[in-house]
Amino acid sequence: MPFDTELTRRLGIKIPVVQGGMQYVGYAELAAAVSNAGGLGILTALTQPTPDDLRKEIQRTRNMTKNPFGVNITLLPSLQPPDYGAYAQVVIDEGIKIVETAGNSPGPVISKLRKAGIIVLHKCTTIRHAQSAIKLGVDFLSIDGFECAGHVGESDITNFILLSKARQTLKVPFIASGGFADGQGLAAALCLGAEGINMGTRFMCTVEAPIHQKIKEEIVKAQETDTALVMRRWTNTTRLYRNKVTDAVVKIERESKTGEFAEIAPFVSGKRGRQVFTNGDPDYGVWTAGQVIGLIHDIPTCDVLVKRIEKEAEETLTSKLKLAKAKL
């Protein structure tokens, strides 16, 4: 059953599955593999040290796939923010047609991309933020439930409610993000009104994901309870894989008398987190993972995974339709 949703039509993909932008994971190898499998691969702009490095990574991806792929630009609080405009300009200059945006105050970047005719998918954790993004002219919304990895927002609303609320209130097509790993999840998202799904953690656990094999094996072993929420005290709540470092962060956050972020800063260093993916030690630093880790049991190629999701979704939707007809 070929999928025909607003997402597949507009993006020119075969299967309504988007690989989310992931820091230190969204390189050419993974993005190209997802796109070659029929989904939408995504490069992570800020994984590249400079805009020129992003240009090279885009060109490298083009040598690996002829199918559509996109770029993620996430705007996060920083003492020394990157030159987001320069990264966006590289995307425009290189002829990228699809960009996933996320984070704070994305208006100037979205405006720049929209003027260049680029399709923008903006990730939101609340309906209020989604409505603000609609005013900015985004083409799709990525509705990110509390189950997700990374920045979960402060509202703690899970996807079952969030997606239904989006269906009821939003006038822009949306995809479902957070908690998805299989075709049954895709089928459920479509039934709740989404045009497709976004997967991050699930794609970390594939052959082509450019992270250490031991981290992939750690994800396979993990349960849905093996994540931790940190930095809520500073209104920057983030879901991470639960390890020795996150346990230390949670303890400091709970017991600190001063509430100074400096107390946890050495523990949540992005540099240490990046090295987890290269040295294979899951306790070396903090790294993001969603509750969906409890649903991941193997390390397939992206091609096997995406096609499996397609088959599972088709079988799930068909069987439920047959069941409904049988009851008539």
Side-chain angles (χ1 to χ4, degrees):
M1 177 184 74
F3 283 96
D4 182 17
T5 73
E6 187 76 8
L7 189 76
T8 59
R9 291 191 297 271
R10 294 280 302 279
L11 272 56
I13 60 178
K14 294 181 179 179
I15 304 167
V17 173
V18 176
Q19 168 240 315
M22 294 175 281
Q23 189 74 335
Y24 309 131
V25 182
Y27 290 97
E29 290 82 0
L30 180 59
V34 174
S35 291
N36 284 334
L40 183 78
I42 299 275
L43 295 176
T44 306
L46 299 187
T47 289
Q48 302 302 320
T50 68
D52 192 54
D53 287 311
L54 174 60
R55 186 187 308 278
K56 294 174 183 176
E57 195 71 3
I58 290 171
Q59 293 170 356
R60 200 162 71 90
T61 308
R62 282 214 174 95
N63 289 329
M64 298 180 182
T65 183
K66 301 303 179 185
N67 294 337
F69 65 93
V71 173
N72 166 279
I73 301 177
T74 298
L75 298 89
L76 294 174
S78 174
L79 294 176
Q80 295 180 312
D83 188 346
Y84 295 115
Y87 280 97
Q89 190 61 50
V90 165
V91 166
I92 294 168
D93 293 344
E94 287 299 313
I96 293 295
K97 301 300 183 185
I98 306 159
V99 170
E100 177 190 63
T101 57
N104 300 323
S105 303
V109 168
I110 289 175
S111 177
K112 188 181 184 77
L113 297 171
R114 294 285 294 132
K115 286 178 182 177
I118 292 172
I119 294 173
V120 177
L121 295 79
H122 186 69
K123 186 171 287 188
C124 308
T125 58
T126 67
I127 297 301
R128 179 171 60 86
H129 291 151
Q131 290 168 336
S132 296
I134 290 172
K135 293 177 182 177
L136 296 174
V138 301
D139 299 275
F140 289 88
L141 294 159
S142 184
I143 303 298
D144 216 11
F146 183 58
E147 307 93 329
C148 72
H151 297 277
V152 301
E154 308 302 320
S155 299
D156 302 359
I157 303 173
T158 60
N159 256 327
F160 204 85
I161 301 300
L162 202 54
L163 294 176
S164 291
K165 187 72 173 180
R167 184 188 71 247
Q168 292 176 354
T169 60
L170 302 181
K171 304 302 182 184
V172 167
F174 61 91
I175 63 174
S177 178
F180 295 97
D182 52 33
Q184 288 80 5
L186 172 57
L190 294 174
C191 290
L192 288 171
E195 302 293 332
I197 59 173
N198 177 299
M199 301 195 310
T201 305
R202 173 65 269 199
F203 277 122
M204 287 174 64
C205 206
T206 57
V207 170
E208 294 90 350
I211 63 178
H212 201 286
Q213 181 69 14
K214 288 184 178 179
I215 302 303
K216 299 176 188 181
E217 292 169 358
E218 189 75 9
I219 293 173
V220 170
K221 291 188 299 182
Q223 301 299 314
E224 62 276 11
T225 50
D226 291 332
T227 69
L229 295 175
V230 304
M231 296 192 288
R232 172 139 290 182
R233 188 167 183 170
W234 297 278
T235 321
N236 190 25
T237 307
T238 303
R239 188 181 299 282
L240 304 171
Y241 181 74
R242 184 175 181 181
N243 60 15
K244 293 177 181 178
V245 183
T246 55
D247 283 347
V249 172
V250 169
K251 187 174 188 297
I252 293 169
E253 186 170 353
R254 184 174 60 245
E255 298 177 358
S256 171
K257 303 295 189 219
T258 66
E260 294 290 335
F261 183 79
E263 293 184 57
I264 69 164
F267 295 90
V268 296
S269 162
K271 183 177 181 180
R272 284 184 61 178
R274 181 176 190 174
Q275 289 176 332
V276 166
F277 295 151
T278 56
N279 66 22
D281 180 359
D283 285 309
Y284 188 80
V286 297
W287 50 285
T288 61
Q291 291 179 323
V292 75
I293 54 177
L295 305 181
I296 298 171
H297 309 298
D298 63 353
I299 309 171
T301 65
C302 289
D303 188 69
V304 167
L305 174 62
V306 173
K307 287 180 170 55
R308 185 169 73 199
I309 288 173
E310 178 186 30
K311 182 179 179 182
E312 289 172 345
E314 179 181 354
E315 290 176 348
T316 300
L317 293 168
T318 301
S319 65
K320 296 305 179 186
L321 180 61
K322 288 179 179 178
L323 180 62
K325 287 182 176 179
K327 290 182 176 179
L328 294 177

